[in-house]
Amino acid sequence: MTLGSILLDSYRRLGYSSSPEGEIVTKLSAFADEAQKEIIREPGCEQLLRVQLTFASVADQAEYALGMGLASISS
């Protein structure tokens, strides 16, 4: 489920159009972010933060761009 689909479902449930005002979008996005953080803090949910990323490396290339959603690299 993406943030976009969560927001669309929230708009529907709250009776907003599919593209409400910016302030509503900001508030609902912040609420979804807080709810996700609460879920991740629940015992046994820590593994939801761990994602395995595979990418092709090139000889003599020292730097690579990774996705925006990546918070940290553990190994």
Side-chain angles (χ1 to χ4, degrees):
M1 182 172 261
T2 65
L3 176 60
S5 62
I6 292 170
L7 290 175
L8 284 174
D9 187 50
S10 298
Y11 304 154
R12 181 187 57 79
R13 292 175 183 229
L14 296 170
Y16 292 114
S17 68
S18 60
S19 56
E21 296 177 22
E23 183 180 348
I24 294 168
V25 174
T26 300
K27 287 181 179 182
L28 289 175
S29 295
F31 177 77
D33 186 48
E34 289 172 23
Q36 178 197 23
K37 289 177 183 177
E38 288 178 20
I39 292 168
I40 296 298
R41 284 193 291 263
E42 292 291 318
C45 291
E46 308 85 21
Q47 70 271 13
L48 295 173
L49 285 174
R50 293 181 179 83
V51 175
Q52 186 173 13
L53 176 68
T54 303
F55 66 96
S57 60
V58 179
D60 296 325
Q61 182 171 341
E63 295 182 11
Y64 295 89
L66 301 175
M68 299 254 322
L70 187 64
S72 65
I73 300 173
S74 59
S75 62

